[in-house]
Amino acid sequence: MIGDLGKLDDARIVDIGGSVLTLGGLVSAVIIIAAAIVVSWFITRGLRRLRLKAQRGAQALYLLEKLTGYAVIVFGVIVGLSSAGLNLSSLAVFAGAIGIGVGLGLQGVVKEFVSGIFLIFDRMVSVGDYVELESGTRGAIAEIGPRATRIRTNDNVNVIIPNSHLIQGPVTNWTLKGDTRRIHIPFSVAYGASRAEVREAVLAAANASPFTMPETDQRKSQVWLVGFGDSSLNFELLVWPSPQAVKRPAAMHAAYTWAIADALDAAGIEIPFPQTDLRIRSLLGREGDDAFSALGLGDHLSASQAKSSAPTVDAARAVNDAAADLLTPQPDPIESPDD
């Protein structure tokens, strides 16, 4: 029986370029390649855990993780083919012809793979950065793979983007080098409001927000008067939010808008709405309430006055949900070790 197994192990399967591929060699190649895949998985898993715990050098560890995983698998494939009895040098011409054919058929895949390598080395776009694409997609880069990049939005939606799109198309990196950025929050007040009071109230609200960066000589919160509307003075609040808030632009914009509305209400500053005032100086010699009575609008006027004098909801009891959302820690967009 042992002799029969030995014969089976030496059984020829195919002869390629002077190299004989036996059943035993094929089994050895499969075992070596499988072992290389397992070793690559353990190495990348360990490096990933180390990267997620590292305070600094996460990008270098990500680069090491990817390159090590690829290198171990490629090395295992070469060793496996050699152990199978294939003479790789004698297959150079054949492999070159096959490579040309595969390259023509899979040129898109090769293009994306090379683009991914450039993204990893270039580091203008890195894992963890918050980016915005030309299509309007915004999110944090969770993974740069061999074919595509995975972007996770703040709504926990994973968007798969081909690597070449991040190289060829314009990409806005909101957190390049881990820094913050200045944002503009537009708002309007009614004509007649004191511009000084508007500025004071809005700046106080912005600086009181826990996600506003402390002011420096180069980074100060400001209020600009940017235009005159049909029924309003148009302002913008310019503020420097924290880097974590920058990664959640929709909630950040909503939180500051809510804070501005509360500040204007507390200061008694009117927020305008489109309106048209019709002024009648006299009607049939009558003015004021007598003129309204002559038009039959006396009851309507009384109802409007009663409605305007009705108590309103206390703004202090309203909850700024967007601000609460910004203060809630956001899950790390980078894949977890268990992925």
Side-chain angles (χ1 to χ4, degrees):
M1 183 179 293
I2 296 177
D4 293 337
L5 291 176
K7 293 180 180 180
L8 183 62
D9 182 65
D10 295 333
R12 294 188 176 188
I13 298 178
V14 66
D15 188 349
I16 303 177
S19 299
V20 178
L21 179 63
T22 63
L23 180 60
L26 181 60
V27 173
S28 300
V30 171
I31 293 176
I32 292 175
I33 294 175
I37 294 175
V38 173
V39 171
S40 174
W41 182 82
F42 275 107
I43 292 177
T44 54
R45 182 182 177 88
L47 290 174
R48 185 183 307 171
R49 287 182 178 273
L50 182 62
R51 171 169 56 86
L52 294 177
K53 295 179 181 179
Q55 298 295 329
R56 294 184 178 181
Q59 300 302 328
L61 288 175
Y62 183 81
L63 176 62
L64 180 63
E65 172 191 335
K66 291 297 183 182
L67 293 182
T68 303
Y70 295 153
V72 170
I73 293 177
V74 171
F75 179 76
V77 171
I78 294 175
V79 174
L81 293 178
S82 297
S83 65
L86 295 178
N87 187 352
L88 299 182
S89 60
S90 64
L91 296 177
V93 177
F94 177 74
I98 295 297
I100 293 175
V102 172
L104 293 176
L106 301 178
Q107 56 182 337
V109 176
V110 175
K111 173 185 176 182
E112 302 303 339
F113 179 79
V114 175
S115 298
I117 297 298
F118 272 103
L119 287 175
I120 293 175
F121 278 100
D122 186 52
R123 298 180 64 180
M124 287 295 100
V125 176
S126 304
V127 173
D129 287 348
Y130 193 90
V131 299
E132 180 176 358
L133 305 182
E134 189 177 17
S135 61
T137 300
R138 296 187 300 191
I141 295 181
E143 180 183 7
I144 300 177
R147 186 191 65 84
T149 297
R150 179 164 60 93
I151 297 177
R152 182 178 297 173
T153 70
N154 291 332
D155 294 327
N156 201 28
V157 177
N158 290 293
V159 182
I160 309 301
I161 306 295
N163 292 329
S164 60
H165 287 195
L166 298 179
I167 293 180
Q168 298 174 352
V171 178
T172 301
N173 192 335
W174 288 32
T175 54
L176 184 63
K177 307 300 182 182
D179 204 359
T180 183
R181 61 186 290 269
R182 187 170 68 176
I183 64 168
H184 297 236
I185 308 296
F187 66 95
S188 301
V189 301
Y191 279 108
S194 170
R195 295 185 295 277
E197 292 181 2
V198 170
R199 179 181 181 276
E200 181 180 355
V202 172
L203 285 180
N207 293 328
S209 298
F211 35 84
T212 299
M213 296 286 287
E215 290 192 352
T216 63
D217 292 338
Q218 290 76 27
R219 297 179 176 179
K220 291 184 178 180
S221 299
Q222 297 177 322
V223 173
W224 291 358
L225 175 62
V226 296
F228 299 93
D230 293 336
S231 57
S232 64
L233 294 173
N234 299 328
F235 290 87
E236 281 187 357
L237 167 65
L238 282 68
V239 66
W240 297 87
S242 64
Q244 292 302 319
V246 169
K247 295 182 179 181
R248 306 163 80 172
M252 175 180 60
H253 190 281
Y256 278 116
T257 301
W258 188 292
I260 291 173
D262 283 346
L264 296 179
D265 289 342
I269 299 173
E270 181 182 355
I271 298 177
F273 55 91
Q275 58 182 326
T276 301
D277 293 336
L278 179 61
R279 296 181 177 272
I280 302 177
R281 296 302 299 263
S282 64
L283 177 66
L284 301 177
R286 302 181 182 183
E287 297 183 0
D289 294 342
D290 293 337
F292 278 104
S293 298
L295 291 174
L297 299 176
D299 296 338
H300 176 73
L301 178 62
S302 300
S304 298
Q305 291 175 344
K307 182 177 180 180
S308 62
S309 62
T312 58
V313 178
D314 186 3
R317 292 184 296 168
V319 178
N320 190 343
D321 291 331
D325 185 68
L326 281 178
L327 295 176
T328 303
Q330 189 179 28
D332 195 332
I334 304 176
E335 69 274 15
S336 63
D338 297 329
D339 288 347

